[in-house]
Amino acid sequence: MMDEEFNSSFYIGESVASPVKQMNYESLKGFKKTFKTKWILGTTFMWNYGVIRLIFKKFDYYLLIGEPSILSHWVILLIGKILGKKVFTWGHGIKCTEKKKLFWFEKLFYRLPYKVFVYGEHAKNNMIKLNYNKEKIIPIYNSLDYLNQKSIKKESKTTNIFIDHFKNENPVIIYVGRILYSKKLNILIEALDHINKTEKKANLVIVGPEVDDDSIPKLVKKLELENEVWFYGPCYKEKIIAELFANSVVSVTPGNIGLTAIHSLTYGCPVITHHNLHKHGPEFEVIEEGITGSFFKEDNLDDLVFKIKYWLAADANKRLEASVEAEKVIDEKWNPLNQIRIFKSNFSK
């Protein structure tokens, strides 16, 4: 969308060691070049070869990935500051104010840009506490395939997809994402086991590929939950994902959450994740306790069970309210149209 709204030139730093499939950069209207990226001496620091010369081009604005570990960006920012260029960064900002290794390095980096686009209010508030100029810290939020998803949501409705599979009408919990140790799906399976030993029964559908945790199917078998857990597998068809969310009562990610929170709320499905906010992606901000989802005490099984039961017990009115509020959050901030508005507002100054 940026290449349609702005007269932009895109120079891409080649990604290294990234498991995520990259977009076809050459499809961008303003694509110019890809630069090679190298790790520096086996550290977490990187260098984009050949990018420094770009700061001497006659662009009105420069927008860099806001990542302190890309050392070539430091050089661009320093030269830009000397030359009076308007160099913006776009990234996570400071997610946590607690002192950590190389914290001084991170704090110094964000002093250099003309302005800093961050993904959410949490990072901005952290940076204000650290005495950054609040006028220079701009929340830009994040988004998915918003317009397509909105169109699909208008057509989506409840179906019998879960009734047909589970052969019962019990409410369904959904997890969407890769099956990773870091997602802590074991505690979700254990929570389901606790819930199903009470009067209120539930089912669970897990949508996503198995990556590095093959213990989850074994745990399901051990707890004799094969009939209550559906390993749907990976799914990349948005209409099917919309149907799965539309028929689920609540989306649960026991580990760290990111864009799944936006994906869930886009289709009106409230989200549960843990309360250790600085560990999450910035998208956790879409969750408002008891309104669009819930936070449970990290790694606390009893609290997770309590929060899941809260949403399983929600009546039709409560579910409708959650769906309406979820859609409102996405429509107001977490979409590309709003992001473009924010860019235009700042690039016109």
PDB file of all heavy atoms in Angstrom, residues 210-235:
ATOM      1  N   GLU A 210       3.511 -28.038  12.858  1.00  0.00           N
ATOM      2  CA  GLU A 210       4.421 -28.430  13.932  1.00  0.00           C
ATOM      3  C   GLU A 210       5.839 -28.049  13.512  1.00  0.00           C
ATOM      4  O   GLU A 210       6.307 -28.435  12.452  1.00  0.00           O
ATOM      5  CB  GLU A 210       4.330 -29.941  14.164  1.00  0.00           C
ATOM      6  CG  GLU A 210       5.213 -30.437  15.296  1.00  0.00           C
ATOM      7  CD  GLU A 210       5.126 -31.954  15.455  1.00  0.00           C
ATOM      8  OE1 GLU A 210       4.027 -32.443  15.799  1.00  0.00           O
ATOM      9  OE2 GLU A 210       6.137 -32.628  15.190  1.00  0.00           O
ATOM     10  N   VAL A 211       6.517 -27.268  14.368  1.00  0.00           N
ATOM     11  CA  VAL A 211       7.853 -26.786  14.021  1.00  0.00           C
ATOM     12  C   VAL A 211       8.930 -27.431  14.887  1.00  0.00           C
ATOM     13  O   VAL A 211       9.811 -28.124  14.391  1.00  0.00           O
ATOM     14  CB  VAL A 211       7.924 -25.251  14.131  1.00  0.00           C
ATOM     15  CG1 VAL A 211       9.334 -24.736  13.837  1.00  0.00           C
ATOM     16  CG2 VAL A 211       6.933 -24.598  13.163  1.00  0.00           C
ATOM     17  N   ASP A 212       8.868 -27.186  16.205  1.00  0.00           N
ATOM     18  CA  ASP A 212       9.926 -27.737  17.054  1.00  0.00           C
ATOM     19  C   ASP A 212       9.404 -28.400  18.325  1.00  0.00           C
ATOM     20  O   ASP A 212      10.160 -28.647  19.254  1.00  0.00           O
ATOM     21  CB  ASP A 212      10.946 -26.649  17.412  1.00  0.00           C
ATOM     22  CG  ASP A 212      10.366 -25.555  18.307  1.00  0.00           C
ATOM     23  OD1 ASP A 212       9.195 -25.678  18.714  1.00  0.00           O
ATOM     24  OD2 ASP A 212      11.086 -24.582  18.599  1.00  0.00           O
ATOM     25  N   ASP A 213       8.097 -28.658  18.385  1.00  0.00           N
ATOM     26  CA  ASP A 213       7.528 -29.264  19.589  1.00  0.00           C
ATOM     27  C   ASP A 213       6.614 -30.429  19.207  1.00  0.00           C
ATOM     28  O   ASP A 213       5.442 -30.234  18.884  1.00  0.00           O
ATOM     29  CB  ASP A 213       6.748 -28.210  20.384  1.00  0.00           C
ATOM     30  CG  ASP A 213       6.325 -28.722  21.763  1.00  0.00           C
ATOM     31  OD1 ASP A 213       6.578 -29.911  22.050  1.00  0.00           O
ATOM     32  OD2 ASP A 213       5.750 -27.944  22.543  1.00  0.00           O
ATOM     33  N   ASP A 214       7.177 -31.637  19.260  1.00  0.00           N
ATOM     34  CA  ASP A 214       6.382 -32.827  18.920  1.00  0.00           C
ATOM     35  C   ASP A 214       5.783 -33.484  20.157  1.00  0.00           C
ATOM     36  O   ASP A 214       5.221 -34.578  20.092  1.00  0.00           O
ATOM     37  CB  ASP A 214       7.236 -33.841  18.147  1.00  0.00           C
ATOM     38  CG  ASP A 214       8.426 -34.348  18.966  1.00  0.00           C
ATOM     39  OD1 ASP A 214       8.610 -33.880  20.123  1.00  0.00           O
ATOM     40  OD2 ASP A 214       9.175 -35.205  18.465  1.00  0.00           O
ATOM     41  N   SER A 215       5.898 -32.782  21.304  1.00  0.00           N
ATOM     42  CA  SER A 215       5.386 -33.354  22.548  1.00  0.00           C
ATOM     43  C   SER A 215       3.882 -33.130  22.721  1.00  0.00           C
ATOM     44  O   SER A 215       3.245 -33.802  23.539  1.00  0.00           O
ATOM     45  CB  SER A 215       6.119 -32.739  23.749  1.00  0.00           C
ATOM     46  OG  SER A 215       5.803 -31.353  23.888  1.00  0.00           O
ATOM     47  N   ILE A 216       3.321 -32.189  21.955  1.00  0.00           N
ATOM     48  CA  ILE A 216       1.912 -31.836  22.158  1.00  0.00           C
ATOM     49  C   ILE A 216       0.972 -32.982  21.783  1.00  0.00           C
ATOM     50  O   ILE A 216       0.077 -33.333  22.578  1.00  0.00           O
ATOM     51  CB  ILE A 216       1.560 -30.545  21.393  1.00  0.00           C
ATOM     52  CG1 ILE A 216       2.458 -29.381  21.848  1.00  0.00           C
ATOM     53  CG2 ILE A 216       0.099 -30.175  21.607  1.00  0.00           C
ATOM     54  CD1 ILE A 216       2.441 -29.132  23.354  1.00  0.00           C
ATOM     55  N   PRO A 217       1.119 -33.605  20.614  1.00  0.00           N
ATOM     56  CA  PRO A 217       0.255 -34.761  20.319  1.00  0.00           C
ATOM     57  C   PRO A 217       0.413 -35.880  21.349  1.00  0.00           C
ATOM     58  O   PRO A 217      -0.573 -36.551  21.695  1.00  0.00           O
ATOM     59  CB  PRO A 217       0.733 -35.211  18.931  1.00  0.00           C
ATOM     60  CG  PRO A 217       1.346 -33.991  18.323  1.00  0.00           C
ATOM     61  CD  PRO A 217       1.985 -33.278  19.468  1.00  0.00           C
ATOM     62  N   LYS A 218       1.623 -36.054  21.867  1.00  0.00           N
ATOM     63  CA  LYS A 218       1.868 -37.087  22.875  1.00  0.00           C
ATOM     64  C   LYS A 218       1.134 -36.754  24.166  1.00  0.00           C
ATOM     65  O   LYS A 218       0.577 -37.640  24.826  1.00  0.00           O
ATOM     66  CB  LYS A 218       3.369 -37.224  23.131  1.00  0.00           C
ATOM     67  CG  LYS A 218       4.167 -37.711  21.931  1.00  0.00           C
ATOM     68  CD  LYS A 218       5.655 -37.687  22.215  1.00  0.00           C
ATOM     69  CE  LYS A 218       6.452 -38.069  20.968  1.00  0.00           C
ATOM     70  NZ  LYS A 218       7.917 -37.956  21.206  1.00  0.00           N
ATOM     71  N   LEU A 219       1.139 -35.475  24.542  1.00  0.00           N
ATOM     72  CA  LEU A 219       0.434 -35.054  25.752  1.00  0.00           C
ATOM     73  C   LEU A 219      -1.068 -35.232  25.591  1.00  0.00           C
ATOM     74  O   LEU A 219      -1.758 -35.664  26.522  1.00  0.00           O
ATOM     75  CB  LEU A 219       0.773 -33.594  26.066  1.00  0.00           C
ATOM     76  CG  LEU A 219       0.119 -33.000  27.323  1.00  0.00           C
ATOM     77  CD1 LEU A 219       0.516 -33.786  28.565  1.00  0.00           C
ATOM     78  CD2 LEU A 219       0.491 -31.529  27.468  1.00  0.00           C
ATOM     79  N   VAL A 220      -1.584 -34.907  24.410  1.00  0.00           N
ATOM     80  CA  VAL A 220      -3.014 -35.095  24.133  1.00  0.00           C
ATOM     81  C   VAL A 220      -3.398 -36.562  24.289  1.00  0.00           C
ATOM     82  O   VAL A 220      -4.433 -36.895  24.902  1.00  0.00           O
ATOM     83  CB  VAL A 220      -3.357 -34.601  22.710  1.00  0.00           C
ATOM     84  CG1 VAL A 220      -4.767 -35.030  22.300  1.00  0.00           C
ATOM     85  CG2 VAL A 220      -3.238 -33.076  22.636  1.00  0.00           C
ATOM     86  N   LYS A 221      -2.557 -37.428  23.765  1.00  0.00           N
ATOM     87  CA  LYS A 221      -2.819 -38.871  23.871  1.00  0.00           C
ATOM     88  C   LYS A 221      -2.732 -39.340  25.317  1.00  0.00           C
ATOM     89  O   LYS A 221      -3.569 -40.130  25.788  1.00  0.00           O
ATOM     90  CB  LYS A 221      -1.828 -39.641  22.998  1.00  0.00           C
ATOM     91  CG  LYS A 221      -2.107 -41.132  22.937  1.00  0.00           C
ATOM     92  CD  LYS A 221      -1.181 -41.820  21.944  1.00  0.00           C
ATOM     93  CE  LYS A 221      -1.507 -43.305  21.847  1.00  0.00           C
ATOM     94  NZ  LYS A 221      -0.614 -43.999  20.872  1.00  0.00           N
ATOM     95  N   LYS A 222      -1.725 -38.850  26.040  1.00  0.00           N
ATOM     96  CA  LYS A 222      -1.531 -39.233  27.445  1.00  0.00           C
ATOM     97  C   LYS A 222      -2.744 -38.857  28.290  1.00  0.00           C
ATOM     98  O   LYS A 222      -3.167 -39.628  29.168  1.00  0.00           O
ATOM     99  CB  LYS A 222      -0.273 -38.556  27.988  1.00  0.00           C
ATOM    100  CG  LYS A 222      -0.011 -38.824  29.461  1.00  0.00           C
ATOM    101  CD  LYS A 222       1.214 -38.053  29.949  1.00  0.00           C
ATOM    102  CE  LYS A 222       1.424 -38.242  31.446  1.00  0.00           C
ATOM    103  NZ  LYS A 222       2.591 -37.464  31.948  1.00  0.00           N
ATOM    104  N   LEU A 223      -3.311 -37.683  28.019  1.00  0.00           N
ATOM    105  CA  LEU A 223      -4.463 -37.208  28.793  1.00  0.00           C
ATOM    106  C   LEU A 223      -5.797 -37.681  28.214  1.00  0.00           C
ATOM    107  O   LEU A 223      -6.856 -37.277  28.696  1.00  0.00           O
ATOM    108  CB  LEU A 223      -4.439 -35.672  28.860  1.00  0.00           C
ATOM    109  CG  LEU A 223      -3.241 -35.058  29.591  1.00  0.00           C
ATOM    110  CD1 LEU A 223      -3.272 -33.533  29.504  1.00  0.00           C
ATOM    111  CD2 LEU A 223      -3.210 -35.496  31.060  1.00  0.00           C
ATOM    112  N   GLU A 224      -5.717 -38.517  27.171  1.00  0.00           N
ATOM    113  CA  GLU A 224      -6.900 -39.103  26.531  1.00  0.00           C
ATOM    114  C   GLU A 224      -7.860 -38.024  26.035  1.00  0.00           C
ATOM    115  O   GLU A 224      -9.077 -38.085  26.237  1.00  0.00           O
ATOM    116  CB  GLU A 224      -7.612 -40.066  27.492  1.00  0.00           C
ATOM    117  CG  GLU A 224      -6.724 -41.229  27.923  1.00  0.00           C
ATOM    118  CD  GLU A 224      -7.429 -42.199  28.867  1.00  0.00           C
ATOM    119  OE1 GLU A 224      -8.533 -41.860  29.345  1.00  0.00           O
ATOM    120  OE2 GLU A 224      -6.879 -43.286  29.120  1.00  0.00           O
ATOM    121  N   LEU A 225      -7.269 -37.038  25.345  1.00  0.00           N
ATOM    122  CA  LEU A 225      -8.063 -35.924  24.815  1.00  0.00           C
ATOM    123  C   LEU A 225      -8.172 -35.971  23.288  1.00  0.00           C
ATOM    124  O   LEU A 225      -8.521 -34.968  22.658  1.00  0.00           O
ATOM    125  CB  LEU A 225      -7.433 -34.584  25.240  1.00  0.00           C
ATOM    126  CG  LEU A 225      -7.496 -34.221  26.729  1.00  0.00           C
ATOM    127  CD1 LEU A 225      -6.619 -33.008  27.011  1.00  0.00           C
ATOM    128  CD2 LEU A 225      -8.930 -33.966  27.165  1.00  0.00           C
ATOM    129  N   GLU A 226      -7.877 -37.115  22.694  1.00  0.00           N
ATOM    130  CA  GLU A 226      -7.880 -37.200  21.226  1.00  0.00           C
ATOM    131  C   GLU A 226      -9.209 -36.775  20.614  1.00  0.00           C
ATOM    132  O   GLU A 226      -9.238 -36.205  19.517  1.00  0.00           O
ATOM    133  CB  GLU A 226      -7.552 -38.632  20.760  1.00  0.00           C
ATOM    134  CG  GLU A 226      -6.144 -39.084  21.108  1.00  0.00           C
ATOM    135  CD  GLU A 226      -6.120 -39.972  22.334  1.00  0.00           C
ATOM    136  OE1 GLU A 226      -6.881 -39.671  23.284  1.00  0.00           O
ATOM    137  OE2 GLU A 226      -5.363 -40.963  22.342  1.00  0.00           O
ATOM    138  N   ASN A 227     -10.311 -37.027  21.321  1.00  0.00           N
ATOM    139  CA  ASN A 227     -11.628 -36.670  20.782  1.00  0.00           C
ATOM    140  C   ASN A 227     -11.979 -35.203  21.000  1.00  0.00           C
ATOM    141  O   ASN A 227     -12.937 -34.694  20.398  1.00  0.00           O
ATOM    142  CB  ASN A 227     -12.716 -37.549  21.419  1.00  0.00           C
ATOM    143  CG  ASN A 227     -12.582 -39.013  21.019  1.00  0.00           C
ATOM    144  OD1 ASN A 227     -12.114 -39.317  19.922  1.00  0.00           O
ATOM    145  ND2 ASN A 227     -12.981 -39.914  21.903  1.00  0.00           N
ATOM    146  N   GLU A 228     -11.226 -34.532  21.858  1.00  0.00           N
ATOM    147  CA  GLU A 228     -11.504 -33.120  22.164  1.00  0.00           C
ATOM    148  C   GLU A 228     -10.499 -32.160  21.525  1.00  0.00           C
ATOM    149  O   GLU A 228     -10.665 -30.941  21.625  1.00  0.00           O
ATOM    150  CB  GLU A 228     -11.504 -32.896  23.685  1.00  0.00           C
ATOM    151  CG  GLU A 228     -12.689 -33.487  24.414  1.00  0.00           C
ATOM    152  CD  GLU A 228     -12.544 -34.991  24.652  1.00  0.00           C
ATOM    153  OE1 GLU A 228     -11.431 -35.444  24.976  1.00  0.00           O
ATOM    154  OE2 GLU A 228     -13.554 -35.704  24.457  1.00  0.00           O
ATOM    155  N   VAL A 229      -9.448 -32.679  20.911  1.00  0.00           N
ATOM    156  CA  VAL A 229      -8.429 -31.827  20.284  1.00  0.00           C
ATOM    157  C   VAL A 229      -8.328 -32.156  18.800  1.00  0.00           C
ATOM    158  O   VAL A 229      -8.149 -33.310  18.414  1.00  0.00           O
ATOM    159  CB  VAL A 229      -7.052 -32.001  20.953  1.00  0.00           C
ATOM    160  CG1 VAL A 229      -6.010 -31.122  20.249  1.00  0.00           C
ATOM    161  CG2 VAL A 229      -7.121 -31.639  22.434  1.00  0.00           C
ATOM    162  N   TRP A 230      -8.433 -31.143  17.986  1.00  0.00           N
ATOM    163  CA  TRP A 230      -8.338 -31.300  16.525  1.00  0.00           C
ATOM    164  C   TRP A 230      -7.069 -30.603  16.047  1.00  0.00           C
ATOM    165  O   TRP A 230      -6.961 -29.388  16.089  1.00  0.00           O
ATOM    166  CB  TRP A 230      -9.565 -30.675  15.866  1.00  0.00           C
ATOM    167  CG  TRP A 230      -9.621 -30.830  14.358  1.00  0.00           C
ATOM    168  CD1 TRP A 230      -8.791 -31.580  13.563  1.00  0.00           C
ATOM    169  CD2 TRP A 230     -10.575 -30.222  13.474  1.00  0.00           C
ATOM    170  NE1 TRP A 230      -9.160 -31.480  12.249  1.00  0.00           N
ATOM    171  CE2 TRP A 230     -10.259 -30.651  12.159  1.00  0.00           C
ATOM    172  CE3 TRP A 230     -11.659 -29.362  13.659  1.00  0.00           C
ATOM    173  CZ2 TRP A 230     -10.983 -30.236  11.050  1.00  0.00           C
ATOM    174  CZ3 TRP A 230     -12.383 -28.951  12.566  1.00  0.00           C
ATOM    175  CH2 TRP A 230     -12.050 -29.385  11.274  1.00  0.00           C
ATOM    176  N   PHE A 231      -6.103 -31.397  15.614  1.00  0.00           N
ATOM    177  CA  PHE A 231      -4.902 -30.835  14.997  1.00  0.00           C
ATOM    178  C   PHE A 231      -5.229 -30.554  13.531  1.00  0.00           C
ATOM    179  O   PHE A 231      -5.069 -31.411  12.661  1.00  0.00           O
ATOM    180  CB  PHE A 231      -3.727 -31.803  15.115  1.00  0.00           C
ATOM    181  CG  PHE A 231      -3.178 -31.921  16.516  1.00  0.00           C
ATOM    182  CD1 PHE A 231      -3.581 -32.949  17.361  1.00  0.00           C
ATOM    183  CD2 PHE A 231      -2.275 -30.985  16.996  1.00  0.00           C
ATOM    184  CE1 PHE A 231      -3.092 -33.059  18.646  1.00  0.00           C
ATOM    185  CE2 PHE A 231      -1.777 -31.083  18.291  1.00  0.00           C
ATOM    186  CZ  PHE A 231      -2.186 -32.123  19.119  1.00  0.00           C
ATOM    187  N   TYR A 232      -5.674 -29.347  13.297  1.00  0.00           N
ATOM    188  CA  TYR A 232      -6.128 -28.998  11.951  1.00  0.00           C
ATOM    189  C   TYR A 232      -4.974 -28.937  10.972  1.00  0.00           C
ATOM    190  O   TYR A 232      -5.134 -29.211   9.778  1.00  0.00           O
ATOM    191  CB  TYR A 232      -6.856 -27.638  11.991  1.00  0.00           C
ATOM    192  CG  TYR A 232      -7.594 -27.302  10.724  1.00  0.00           C
ATOM    193  CD1 TYR A 232      -8.939 -27.623  10.577  1.00  0.00           C
ATOM    194  CD2 TYR A 232      -6.947 -26.684   9.653  1.00  0.00           C
ATOM    195  CE1 TYR A 232      -9.630 -27.325   9.412  1.00  0.00           C
ATOM    196  CE2 TYR A 232      -7.619 -26.385   8.478  1.00  0.00           C
ATOM    197  CZ  TYR A 232      -8.950 -26.709   8.366  1.00  0.00           C
ATOM    198  OH  TYR A 232      -9.627 -26.426   7.195  1.00  0.00           O
ATOM    199  N   GLY A 233      -3.796 -28.578  11.468  1.00  0.00           N
ATOM    200  CA  GLY A 233      -2.632 -28.432  10.595  1.00  0.00           C
ATOM    201  C   GLY A 233      -2.530 -27.023  10.038  1.00  0.00           C
ATOM    202  O   GLY A 233      -3.347 -26.151  10.344  1.00  0.00           O
ATOM    203  N   PRO A 234      -1.543 -26.781   9.190  1.00  0.00           N
ATOM    204  CA  PRO A 234      -1.381 -25.431   8.621  1.00  0.00           C
ATOM    205  C   PRO A 234      -2.527 -25.079   7.693  1.00  0.00           C
ATOM    206  O   PRO A 234      -3.063 -25.941   6.997  1.00  0.00           O
ATOM    207  CB  PRO A 234      -0.049 -25.525   7.854  1.00  0.00           C
ATOM    208  CG  PRO A 234       0.140 -26.987   7.588  1.00  0.00           C
ATOM    209  CD  PRO A 234      -0.505 -27.709   8.727  1.00  0.00           C
ATOM    210  N   CYS A 235      -2.922 -23.830   7.709  1.00  0.00           N
ATOM    211  CA  CYS A 235      -3.990 -23.354   6.829  1.00  0.00           C
ATOM    212  C   CYS A 235      -3.660 -21.935   6.386  1.00  0.00           C
ATOM    213  O   CYS A 235      -3.409 -21.061   7.216  1.00  0.00           O
ATOM    214  CB  CYS A 235      -5.334 -23.374   7.558  1.00  0.00           C
ATOM    215  SG  CYS A 235      -6.716 -22.780   6.542  1.00  0.00           S
TER     216      CYS A 235
END
